[in-house]
Amino acid sequence: MQPEGTITATLPPRGRAIVKRFRAGDQVAYLVTFIFASAIILITGLLFIELYRSSALARQQFGWHFLSARIWDPVALQFGALPFIYGTLVTSFLALILGVPLGIGASIFLAELAPPSISDGLAFLIELLAAVPSVIYGLLAIFTLVPLVRDYVAPFLESVLGFLPLFQGPSYGVSLLAAGAVLAIMILPFIISISREVLLAVPREQREASLALGATRWETAWRVVVPYARTGIIGSIFLALARALGETMAVTMVIGNDPKINASLFAPGYSIAAVIANEFSEATSDMYLSALIELGLVLFCITIIVNAGARLLILGITRKASAHS
Amino acid sequence: MMSHAVRRKATNFIMFTLTAICALLAISVLFFILGYLVWQGGRSLNWDFFTKLPTPVGETGGGFANAILGSAKLLGLASLIGIPIGFIGGVYLAEFGGSTWTFVVRYMTDLLNGVPSIVMGIFAYALIVIPMKHFSTFAGGAALGIMMIPIAVRTTEEFLRAVPNNLREGALALGATKWKAVVTVVIPASMRGIITGIMLGVARVAGETAPLLFTAFSNRFWSPGLNQPTASLPVMIYTYAISPYEDWHQQAWAGGLVLLALVLITNIAARIILHRQTHTAQG
């Protein structure tokens, strides 16, 4: 291992210093990791730029009107995003209405009321549920949930709440209602596991003080722990909303894929992600493709905003918790 | 006075039951999915499924062999792209980062993590499919690889930060340079956690369908090399599930069972390893 020493010996002092610094390797290691970390920024930036650039044709043609137009007719090159935005929002909010009470109830049980030995096992199962791929939710939903909605849920809702326009009209099973229900099931594990973590981060003294004052377990959970963790729980709901907005496969398989705005939840609809999934590889003209990419840009912006909100809220609560401990 | 106390106790009991029912409902979804897939998929799962190509419409039999190989290739490619960038990026965040740039990188990673999978498909399409002018395994693998980056960054950073500082100080006190301390002490100490975390990341993208629809596309035959469209397990399940043919549905169930089994086994294994590590670290 002689050569290394002889090379440095022949270099002038300044060169020797540089070689020494690089031999030590800290600069090199810093540079390499820095480049890879910067690559992440580059990729994210590129993602936005590509979406923006590739949708230029549609953006110039339709302008902001793209968001408010109701006609989607690829043959006549008429592209309006409103039916898809409507479908995406309706199914996502339906998912929240169905999923949030269940999710928060379950997370309170797991974090506060259940004995720890049971709680850990159940939380593990919830994590597994979160890992189930969305195409599998879709597969099951087509063959179980859709017939269930068509034959039982829709007729029942119509007989009870039929005076509302939301619950009128024929039911084919594939519908906004079915899509909302699948989404509710899919976001459930996210709400539960994040809310549970947020609840567990609440300082112990809060519970002990409340219990010492004679409150029951439920009163402690509901009036002390939950209010303390409120922002974090809302954050978990936002995160779930972002998931629901961007969810593609399960929704595509049960929403019915019909670009119309119907008041009835029993009617088929269409979501932004679903129309991209269905029509992208068949888009024949540049304008068609560009309009689909603009839909992607819209979806990207919506989910980014919702996600950022969620992160801020969750960050707030964990910081508060760590400040206390 | 008495009735007030009784009512409070009753509320306590009722809410305990109600929230327990919420939790059980959520868990029962998992068992319903598992049970239904085993019941439906088990009937049509046979050796042909793993060894044969899909048959043309109307001909029964055949399997998903090309899709299974396609998925394996896509995941391999995705790992090659996603893991190095994610891992080294994570090392930067945990060990070498300053404050401002670290914040930006972490923020961008979160942003990338929140991008809907279908949008990732559009990105890979614009970046790779349009210049190459055709669908390919490479484009699909790139889309999945980019999705893997934020997961790898997060787990790497998290586990590196969990390494106690006195290990770093010990290495530095013995005269190691910083990178030597990181490479020979800190990373090995957290390797198990990082590997399991990345395993979970691979399992997550293994089930992704949306980014593959117009990048890897689909193929009813074998796809040699990386330059041609390829079938993949999730996309096959999707196309077979929405088809009008009964025996295709049966194949979709079998595919669903295989995919779910792979994902769940990976998840369970990873979590058992993680659990064991945290326990040995504490004890």
Side-chain angles (χ1 to χ4, degrees):
Chain A
M1 297 301 106
Q2 280 285 27
E4 282 183 43
T6 48
I7 290 169
T8 21
T10 53
L11 284 171
R14 194 156 162 263
R16 200 180 304 166
I18 290 174
V19 168
K20 212 171 174 184
R21 267 172 67 186
F22 273 85
R23 173 94 47 81
D26 279 359
Q27 260 78 6
V28 181
Y30 176 80
L31 207 68
V32 170
T33 56
F34 178 81
I35 289 169
F36 275 83
S38 306
I40 298 167
I41 299 179
L42 189 78
I43 289 170
T44 317
L46 206 61
L47 176 64
F48 181 77
I49 293 167
E50 279 292 341
L51 286 177
Y52 192 78
R53 211 172 49 91
S54 308
S55 60
L57 211 56
R59 274 187 295 108
Q60 279 153 15
Q61 175 81 22
F62 304 109
W64 290 105
H65 191 62
F66 182 74
L67 298 177
S68 57
R70 305 176 61 144
I71 309 288
W72 181 269
D73 184 353
V75 181
L77 290 182
Q78 278 297 309
F79 299 106
L82 199 61
F84 310 112
I85 296 174
Y86 173 79
T88 305
L89 293 181
V90 168
T91 50
S92 299
F93 282 110
L94 203 58
L96 288 188
I97 291 168
L98 297 172
V100 166
L102 262 178
I104 293 183
S107 66
I108 293 176
F109 178 76
L110 291 179
E112 300 297 320
L113 305 178
S117 53
I118 297 179
S119 172
D120 284 348
L122 293 185
F124 174 70
L125 293 176
I126 297 286
E127 300 274 319
L128 286 188
L129 191 60
V132 174
S134 78
V135 69
I136 291 193
Y137 280 104
L139 174 66
L140 269 148
I142 288 184
F143 296 104
T144 59
L145 189 72
V146 168
L148 191 75
V149 166
R150 184 182 58 220
D151 299 336
Y152 298 100
V153 179
F156 172 76
L157 284 174
E158 194 169 11
S159 69
V160 180
L161 297 163
F163 55 91
L164 292 169
L166 280 177
F167 303 108
Q168 285 169 1
S171 156
Y172 309 104
V174 287
S175 56
L176 294 169
L177 183 63
V182 180
L183 282 177
I185 296 169
M186 294 182 68
I187 61 174
L188 205 51
F190 292 98
I191 300 180
I192 296 176
S193 56
I194 299 170
S195 294
R196 174 174 176 265
E197 245 160 64
V198 172
L199 288 173
L200 288 176
V202 173
R204 222 183 135 77
E205 299 83 38
Q206 297 280 336
R207 293 186 191 89
E208 283 166 0
S210 165
L211 290 171
L213 287 171
T216 60
R217 295 287 298 273
W218 166 253
E219 284 163 350
T220 304
W222 187 245
R223 299 209 187 145
V224 178
V225 181
V226 170
Y228 194 97
R230 194 175 44 218
T231 43
I233 293 176
I234 296 171
S236 82
I237 295 171
F238 269 73
L239 220 52
L241 176 63
R243 290 252 155 203
L245 290 167
E247 176 48 48
T248 312
M249 299 321 297
V251 173
T252 310
M253 291 159 97
V254 300
I255 199 172
N257 301 336
D258 181 17
K260 291 201 183 66
I261 298 179
N262 280 305
S264 172
L265 293 179
F266 302 156
Y270 223 151
S271 78
I272 298 177
V275 71
I276 301 172
N278 274 327
E279 299 186 1
F280 202 88
S281 53
E282 294 158 13
T284 38
S285 65
D286 286 349
M287 181 59 84
Y288 193 3
L289 198 63
S290 172
L292 284 169
I293 295 177
E294 187 173 358
L295 277 177
L297 183 67
V298 171
L299 186 63
F300 177 78
C301 293
I302 298 174
T303 47
I304 291 308
I305 293 168
V306 175
N307 254 315
R311 302 255 169 227
L312 281 178
L313 289 169
I314 292 176
L315 209 66
I317 183 76
T318 36
R319 196 168 283 166
K320 197 163 82 177
S322 58
H324 271 265
S325 58
Chain B
M1 205 54 207
M2 189 58 207
S3 74
H4 185 59
V6 170
R7 208 178 65 211
R8 284 178 57 209
K9 281 208 168 144
T11 315
N12 190 41
F13 179 74
I14 291 167
M15 291 320 289
F16 179 84
T17 320
L18 277 181
T19 54
I21 290 171
C22 289
L24 287 181
L25 272 176
I27 306 279
S28 63
V29 172
L30 178 68
F31 287 106
F32 174 74
I33 292 174
L34 260 177
Y36 208 86
L37 273 176
V38 170
W39 174 52
Q40 288 282 356
R43 285 192 306 191
S44 37
L45 195 60
N46 50 31
W47 194 241
D48 282 356
F49 180 85
F50 296 100
T51 55
K52 293 224 166 106
L53 284 176
T55 50
V57 177
E59 218 175 286
T60 51
F64 277 16
N66 60 341
I68 293 170
L69 184 73
S71 266
K73 270 160 65 179
L74 285 167
L75 285 179
L77 201 59
S79 304
L80 278 180
I81 296 168
I83 293 173
I85 299 180
F87 175 72
I88 300 177
V91 172
Y92 173 81
L93 288 183
E95 302 292 335
F96 292 98
S99 57
T100 324
W101 203 242
T102 304
F103 175 79
V104 177
V105 172
R106 200 175 290 140
Y107 190 81
M108 286 295 184
T109 311
D110 275 349
L111 221 147
L112 199 58
N113 197 25
V115 173
S117 55
I118 189 87
V119 174
M120 216 55 105
I122 298 180
F123 179 45
Y125 180 86
L127 208 63
I128 299 171
V129 177
I130 289 180
M132 284 174 75
K133 297 194 173 63
H134 59 85
F135 301 117
S136 64
T137 308
F138 183 69
L144 294 185
I146 296 169
M147 299 196 70
M148 220 185 263
I149 292 174
I151 310 172
V153 172
R154 285 263 126 184
T155 39
T156 306
E157 190 194 355
E158 197 178 304
F159 283 103
L160 287 179
R161 281 189 190 282
V163 173
N165 244 338
N166 41 17
L167 278 182
R168 287 189 190 84
E169 284 159 6
L172 293 176
L174 287 172
T177 53
K178 184 164 185 187
W179 76 271
K180 203 137 204 188
V182 169
V183 171
T184 58
V185 176
V186 182
I187 291 177
S190 55
M191 211 55 213
R192 186 136 67 133
I194 294 173
I195 289 175
T196 45
I198 287 174
M199 259 166 72
L200 289 179
V202 176
R204 203 189 113 189
V205 300
E208 284 294 347
T209 317
L212 298 177
L213 289 172
F214 36 84
T215 50
F217 201 59
S218 190
N219 196 335
R220 301 200 59 80
F221 305 98
W222 298 105
S223 158
L226 298 176
N227 210 12
Q228 288 178 31
T230 180
S232 60
L233 206 43
V235 174
M236 282 297 247
I237 296 169
Y238 169 63
T239 22
Y240 273 50
I242 60 169
S243 77
Y245 317 112
E246 182 49 36
D247 65 300
W248 279 30
H249 293 165
Q250 286 307 320
Q251 300 252 12
W253 286 116
L257 180 60
V258 171
L259 179 63
L260 186 70
L262 285 175
V263 170
L264 289 190
I265 289 170
T266 316
N267 264 275
I268 292 171
R271 278 168 218 282
I272 287 174
I273 296 171
L274 274 186
H275 194 67
R276 201 175 291 158
Q277 189 187 24
T278 42
H279 273 244
T280 44
Q282 280 163 3

